[in-house]
Amino acid sequence: MFSRNDFNIWSVLKNCIGKELSKITMPVVFNEPLSFLQRMTEYMEYAKLLRVASEQTTPLERLKYVSAFAVSALASNWERLGKPFNPLLGETYELTRPEFRIICEQVSHHPPISAFHADSESFRFHGSIHPKLKFWGKSVEIQPKGIVTVEFPKLNEAYSWSNVNCCVHNVIVGKLWIEQYGMMEVVSHQHGMKATLNFKPSGWNNKDLHRVEGYITDRNKRKTHFLYGKWTEFIKCTDYVSYEEYVKENAHKFKRNADDRSKSPNESPGNTPRKVLSKLNSLKMSSFKSLSIQEPDDPPEPSEGDIPKSDSTYSIDIPNSVTLWQAESRPANTAEYYQFTNFAMSLNQLEEHMKQPRALCPTDSRLRPDIRKLEQGDLDGAAAEKTRLEEKQRETRKKSKKGQEEPVIFPRWFKQDINPHTKQEDWIYKGGYWDRNDDNLELDIF
């Protein structure tokens, strides 16, 4: 990672309060060397949970593991404070692993929409994400709009859910930290069951930091199981009777006092203190650091810029619980490499077979020169290439509007259609990517 100490983020963000950030050009120093398509592929780090789900003998057990997969998809976000590169229209990313293969494509530029389709012998996983970013004065809120769907074709079953919001705190003053918050409903379409998960905001005493709690209900809306854990670490499940008995003996771990209200992550501009705003124009980014890279001479941060610490005294371990998912440990040097997991570190790797002619689709994110240069440590080169690609994309759109050239029609691999399970409009994979022939196509987006 490059140090972000000498950059004044306020000079970029001061005109963006309450607005979407998708059209704001951020300095490349705030990026991480991955495209959003690659970042989206990190859903699949724990794809084995879907295989395990498909092997369960009852719909209830399958719902448990699908719910665990839905939570596990967010684990790599913890401490990931770099912004992924915005994909270009028509950009793709493919990944093949023993458990799955996945194809992603940027299907829309305005608004930015990314679609993906993963499959294996036992499951299909697909969806589209329209990320919305808003700056609220002290925090940046990311809303991952869109629905994702898991199908088990051999069982004729489907499950769907929407991801929860994410908030990056202390973007101006203090140490950056991140939390996920909101409600997630994992719906079993064929069996009428549902897992309702509450990703809790940190709260004033921090006992809820990272906590996820929820219930599985049957088609009669009767609670049958309790799910709990931390989206950064693990998810467990127990039967509802065991949960009720545990609550009776440990009520203090679940009840909140009147003064123990959660801080709202959505801080409106009106809640930004005047004393903070008055200093921002002259403020350098000495406080814009990864929270895991703390130099010994760091001065104490103001209290309003503190990072919450999880309170271990509120740990929960209910009898008769089964661990559905546990996060893999990160590399020892992860703080020096954008807080990447082992899985994330592999995503931009150009393997030997990919270097053969026409082995990799010419629109693949691995071939983007700006991402590659940032990965290699060439910050100026990455910034120059990022600007060149953005200008090239604008010029291509102008020419196509004027009819000066016949552009390749994007998207190539997805089409807008109705998701048969959710009955909502979605981007559905058309097929053909893995058998494509790019020989006669001019796919020069980079």
Side-chain angles (χ1 to χ4, degrees), residues 33-92:
L34 289 178
S35 164
F36 182 73
L37 299 182
Q38 293 165 302
R39 185 73 178 261
M40 191 166 62
T41 301
E42 293 184 56
Y43 273 136
M44 305 304 295
E45 181 168 0
Y46 299 98
K48 64 182 180 183
L49 291 171
L50 294 182
R51 175 182 54 79
V52 172
S54 72
E55 295 167 351
Q56 302 304 303
T57 56
T58 67
L60 172 62
E61 292 299 313
R62 291 193 283 275
L63 176 58
K64 289 180 186 179
Y65 281 98
V66 171
S67 301
F69 173 77
V71 175
S72 76
L74 305 176
S76 69
N77 289 341
W78 174 233
E79 295 189 319
R80 290 281 290 282
L81 301 166
K83 177 184 178 294
F85 282 74
N86 294 332
L88 305 172
L89 181 63
E91 185 176 332
T92 58

Side-chain angles (χ1 to χ4, degrees), residues 70 80 83 132 188 266 307 311 344 409:
R80 290 281 290 282
K83 177 184 178 294
K132 286 191 172 184
S188 170
N266 305 332
I307 304 167
D311 189 342
I409 302 300

Side-chain angles (χ1 to χ4, degrees), residues 120-140:
S120 74
E121 291 183 2
S122 55
F123 67 82
R124 288 196 293 260
F125 176 49
H126 56 88
S128 56
I129 305 296
H130 170 200
K132 286 191 172 184
L133 284 72
K134 286 192 175 182
F135 175 52
W136 290 112
K138 292 189 293 183
S139 62
V140 172

